[in-house]
Amino acid sequence: MWIAVALIQAAVPVASVDDDLRCTAILSQQLEAAGEGERGPITAAMMYFVGRIQGAAPMTDIPEAVDKLRKTPSTKAQTDAIRTGCATRLLQQARTFAAIDPAALRVETVE
């Protein structure tokens, strides 16, 4: 039985979670510098990306991966590009939520 499970798992490709890990690392840095009013939205965004990582690659050691990414040198341009990509993905999700229930996000319209 265990051999069959192992073979099935080996045959299923593990989704790449690199972008989600990068977003989590960027958000964790922002969380450290955030004021009281900013912590909630940043935490919610981190939970979104952590959930995606856990769903796609449940064996990922997220704290270790995030720590490694945070220690990896990067230029301001690289960091800004990652931040922009993450924000774009979050905005897409916010639009989806607003389309389901505009009152849930206090959004009157979705552009």
Side-chain angles (χ1 to χ4, degrees), residues 24-95:
T24 304
I26 290 285
L27 288 164
S28 72
Q29 289 174 322
Q30 288 179 316
L31 189 61
E32 287 180 355
E36 189 63 33
E38 301 168 313
R39 294 184 66 77
I42 294 171
T43 299
M46 283 182 67
M47 290 175 63
Y48 168 74
F49 288 110
V50 166
R52 286 180 48 88
I53 296 163
Q54 290 174 328
M59 300 306 291
T60 302
D61 184 339
I62 298 170
E64 179 182 318
V66 167
D67 186 54
K68 182 178 177 183
L69 284 168
R70 287 184 59 165
K71 290 178 180 175
T72 301
S74 62
T75 65
K76 182 179 180 334
Q78 290 170 321
T79 301
D80 288 346
I82 293 167
R83 187 175 288 117
T84 299
C86 300
T88 299
R89 292 168 62 196
L90 289 169
L91 181 58
Q92 291 168 343
Q93 293 305 312
R95 287 181 176 154

Side-chain angles (χ1 to χ4, degrees), residues 16-25 48-49 52-53 89:
S16 174
V17 295
D18 293 344
D19 287 342
D20 294 328
L21 285 166
R22 282 189 277 278
C23 289
T24 304
Y48 168 74
F49 288 110
R52 286 180 48 88
I53 296 163
R89 292 168 62 196

